[in-house]
Amino acid sequence: MSKTPGLNNLQGAKLMDKIVSLAKRRGFVFQSSEIYGGLNGCWDYGPMGVELLNNIKQQWWKEMTYRENVEGIDAAILMHPRVWEASGHVENFTDPMVDCKQCKARFRLDVLFEDLSIKKKKEILRQLDSQKYAGQQQDDVINEDFEKIVSNDQEAAKLVKYISCPNCGNKGTFTDARKFNLMFKTYVGPVEDSSAVVYLRPETAQGIFVNFMNVLMSSRQKLPFGIAQIGKAFRNEINTKNFLFRTREFEQMEMQFFCKPGTDEEHFAYWRKERMEWFINLGMKKDKLRWHQHPKEKLAHYAKDAYDIEYEFPFGWGEIEGIHNRTDYDLGRHEQYSGKNLKYYDEETKEKFTPYVIETSAGASRSFMAFLVDAYHEEEAPTAEGDMETRVVLKFHPKLAPIKIAVFPLVNRENMPEIARKIEADLRQHFRVFYDDNGAIGRRYRRQDEIGTPYCITVDSQTLEDQTVTVRDRDTMHQVRISMSKLKEYFTEKLL
Ligand code: GAP
């Protein structure tokens, strides 16, 4: 993950701290099992968080499956263990890791090199090649050369002897690098032996591949067509970090698009465009998004070409979605391992072939975090008394906002609460609304800003005369007067 140029490490960490603390205080995300000290790499979504997450998933589902040529499925998390042999996960889904012999802490190899100072990198490079690095080099050159070496696992493994353990500070205490499989293992049935081993799925994609024929036959689709799925995935990450970025339990939103070999590049280009637009259309800032194409030498064993959509988090650029051309690898392997025919028969051309797959694979939890970070703003805003204060506002796209409309009586008398309750009850049938009659009106607005509610309705003394209410826009803070009888129509246009 490369660092954000605009923010230094400290600023980025401070901003993340603020967002994590807001997320907890306002009920977006809690640490899992917090009262027992928490479980590393696992998070719970609170009342606001579950709404946001559901809205993201719903928008994805609509976008991807409300099409003539994409079907949805929901496969089981536990699958036959042969699935993961065929997919290559048993053999290849590993990270190299080292243990500190002194303090017993375990690290993923690449993580050891992430936060090294330029001075330390120079020192290590000099140890490797004293002549080349004898003089003064630009920092960029040092960073680039160092990056080149550590991106190769075998080369990186040779460098651990120069590094101190981040946990206990001792040097020369690391074991040799070993492969660590990231799949969680468990057992089916009462006997815990090797014949009963199953895995918690590390990706949802395989549930789609093994159902290719079932969906093809039952839906009577013809190539090209896609199968989409949203669901939990589990990876026993060695180093979880950055809040929801790398967790052990997370959700994916994946679609596998099956097409005829030779047409794959055209579909690959189409889905890349579609997926980037999805994030932008849901309000994500364009300048915080970029493409990263995997260099040929780093492509996954199954991929012909691969691009990631990256978001600029406060701690640096990170992948939020991968769009990969997976060729015929997956169906070919499952055909080989299962012995079942997974070829497509083209009735028009009378050809039989193994379809190519274009995959779009987004993390729901990572997208959640990107949408949350992107929505977070601190702004100077006037108080009711005319002073300036900092308001924290989550500028979610209205389709993603957990609460769409808040309803307030200006004061708790003169029939205002009754009118406000009536408005709330009417709108609740159509939108997620929130009623609040507690505290000064300015405070109530700020509370809604903090959870990203796009509109606040206030019933005031003029309501009693002409049945109009104020509707305040979260982003501009401007208010308009709207007739109570027109509210549903007004919000239908704005929100649906
Ligand atoms: N089927 C392909 C696949 O799973 P991936 O790049 O390993 O590819 C796809 O994962 C997406 O899943 C990532 O872009 C990311 O958004 C999300 N993801 C992967 N590992 C994750 C983790 N440990 N925690 C949270 N999200 C993760």
Side-chain angles (χ1 to χ4, degrees):
M1 176 171 300
S2 51
K3 292 273 178 282
T4 303
L7 294 175
N8 63 33
N9 282 353
L10 192 65
Q11 287 167 326
K14 273 191 180 158
L15 178 58
M16 261 331 285
D17 280 351
K18 281 188 197 175
I19 294 172
V20 174
S21 129
L22 174 78
K24 178 175 181 194
R25 188 162 46 80
R26 297 313 314 269
F28 283 90
V29 181
F30 308 125
Q31 202 186 1
S32 162
S33 325
E34 191 183 357
I35 60 169
Y36 290 99
L39 181 65
N40 205 351
C42 300
W43 298 88
D44 297 340
Y45 292 85
M48 291 302 109
V50 71
E51 290 292 334
L52 175 60
L53 186 63
N54 282 343
N55 291 342
I56 292 169
K57 291 190 286 185
Q58 201 182 53
Q59 288 304 317
W60 185 90
W61 193 253
K62 272 191 188 167
E63 171 75 19
M64 301 301 280
T65 70
Y66 288 19
R67 298 171 183 251
E68 209 178 354
N69 61 353
V70 179
E71 306 286 344
I73 63 160
D74 187 5
I77 286 172
L78 300 178
M79 302 178 76
H80 195 287
R82 289 277 285 167
V83 168
W84 306 109
E85 288 172 32
S87 69
H89 282 81
V90 170
E91 196 187 331
N92 297 317
F93 198 55
T94 56
D95 272 344
M97 53 109 201
V98 291
D99 291 309
C100 173
K101 286 183 252 178
Q102 193 68 34
C103 69
K104 312 286 178 229
R106 177 168 288 181
F107 301 93
R108 221 174 72 189
L109 191 58
D110 60 337
V111 169
L112 284 181
F113 305 107
E114 264 180 5
D115 291 324
L116 289 188
S117 65
I118 196 82
K119 192 168 154 235
K120 184 75 191 165
K121 288 180 188 170
K122 259 185 210 165
E123 190 187 305
I124 295 174
L125 288 173
R126 263 187 210 137
Q127 308 248 24
L128 297 178
D129 189 339
S130 55
Q131 273 193 340
K132 183 172 173 190
Y133 298 98
Q136 287 296 316
Q137 260 96 16
Q138 299 263 335
D139 288 358
D140 284 359
V141 176
I142 296 290
N143 274 330
E144 218 170 278
D145 287 2
F146 194 79
E147 206 53 45
K148 225 178 261 167
I149 297 176
V150 298
S151 65
N152 177 318
D153 288 342
Q154 275 164 357
E155 294 303 314
K158 295 180 194 156
L159 301 190
V160 292
K161 58 175 181 267
Y162 304 119
I163 308 258
S164 307
C165 169
N167 193 43
C168 68
N170 283 299
K171 205 165 163 181
T173 52
F174 288 120
T175 59
D176 289 340
R178 280 180 292 146
K179 280 186 172 181
F180 175 80
N181 196 296
L182 300 185
M183 285 195 292
F184 279 103
K185 261 187 203 167
T186 186
Y187 302 92
V188 282
V191 184
E192 294 192 2
D193 67 17
S194 56
S195 65
V197 165
V198 289
Y199 302 96
L200 301 191
R201 67 179 176 202
E203 62 170 15
T204 53
Q206 300 304 324
I208 293 178
F209 296 129
V210 300
N211 278 298
F212 167 71
M213 263 309 163
N214 286 334
V215 175
L216 179 70
M217 294 305 176
S218 58
S219 65
R220 300 172 58 235
Q221 284 280 1
K222 289 196 166 42
L223 245 53
F225 78 98
I227 305 178
Q229 172 168 220
I230 297 177
K232 291 260 183 177
F234 304 83
R235 297 182 187 179
N236 197 2
E237 302 281 2
I238 306 165
N239 296 100
T240 58
K241 63 176 197 176
N242 289 329
F243 194 34
L244 306 175
F245 188 82
R246 188 176 293 137
T247 56
R248 295 198 168 113
E249 177 175 342
F250 56 98
E251 252 178 312
Q252 289 188 315
M253 308 184 289
E254 295 198 300
M255 195 267 318
Q256 314 293 330
F257 197 75
F258 301 90
C259 61
K260 188 171 177 179
T263 65
D264 50 307
E265 286 180 20
E266 159 203 332
H267 294 297
F268 187 47
Y270 170 81
W271 283 109
R272 286 203 314 267
K273 185 165 165 293
E274 289 288 287
R275 293 309 305 144
M276 182 61 102
E277 275 172 11
W278 184 76
F279 288 103
I280 294 168
N281 291 340
L282 285 174
M284 216 173 257
K285 295 181 199 85
K286 266 189 186 167
D287 62 348
K288 293 272 173 189
L289 290 162
R290 74 175 186 192
W291 285 108
H292 165 71
Q293 185 180 12
H294 293 208
K296 287 270 172 284
E297 67 279 7
K298 283 194 155 188
L299 282 175
H301 56 282
Y302 52 75
K304 171 173 165 187
D305 201 356
Y307 283 76
D308 294 337
I309 297 178
E310 294 190 335
Y311 180 80
E312 191 180 20
F313 292 99
F315 44 81
W317 289 95
E319 173 194 337
I320 51 177
E321 170 156 354
I323 296 107
H324 297 181
N325 182 341
R326 300 180 66 121
T327 67
D328 56 2
Y329 175 82
D330 305 281
L331 290 182
R333 290 277 289 195
H334 285 302
E335 188 167 67
Q336 186 191 337
Y337 277 68
S338 68
K340 297 285 181 325
N341 170 36
L342 297 180
K343 289 200 174 59
Y344 180 79
Y345 178 65
D346 189 327
E347 277 163 24
E348 273 170 35
T349 62
K350 313 287 179 222
E351 284 173 288
K352 236 180 168 189
F353 56 86
T354 307
Y356 265 39
V357 169
I358 305 301
E359 170 181 75
T360 72
S361 173
S365 345
R366 250 192 224 174
S367 302
F368 175 105
M369 183 168 146
F371 280 117
L372 181 65
V373 165
D374 203 66
Y376 185 89
H377 288 80
E378 289 178 14
E379 296 176 347
E380 288 301 294
T383 63
E385 294 75 36
D387 301 326
M388 293 306 275
E389 67 173 2
T390 305
R391 80 163 180 148
V392 170
V393 52
L394 294 181
K395 294 187 178 177
F396 290 126
H397 188 287
K399 288 200 161 99
L400 299 185
I403 304 283
K404 310 295 182 197
I405 306 160
V407 189
F408 313 144
L410 182 62
V411 289
N412 283 320
R413 53 191 149 76
E414 296 170 36
N415 212 27
M416 288 184 211
E418 289 75 10
I419 296 172
R421 278 291 188 198
K422 166 89 178 61
I423 293 173
E424 179 218 342
D426 288 348
L427 292 178
R428 196 177 279 288
Q429 295 169 45
H430 313 280
F431 310 100
R432 188 84 163 83
V433 294
F434 184 83
Y435 179 86
D436 189 4
D437 60 8
N438 194 281
I441 194 76
R443 292 281 123 225
R444 281 183 261 168
Y445 284 144
R446 292 288 180 270
R447 287 203 289 264
Q448 293 307 312
D449 288 344
E450 271 196 338
I451 55 168
T453 306
Y455 299 103
C456 293
I457 297 174
T458 302
V459 173
D460 58 13
S461 47
Q462 196 178 323
T463 313
L464 310 176
E465 288 162 21
D466 64 5
Q467 281 76 54
T468 63
V469 290
T470 65
V471 175
R472 174 195 182 260
D473 180 290
R474 174 196 68 201
D475 299 344
T476 62
M477 293 187 283
H478 289 153
Q479 299 185 13
V480 288
R481 285 209 84 86
I482 308 256
S483 166
M484 280 166 51
S485 61
K486 294 265 164 27
L487 284 172
K488 188 190 148 208
E489 201 182 315
Y490 181 81
F491 289 119
T492 301
E493 196 183 304
K494 297 264 183 206
L495 294 167
L496 296 181

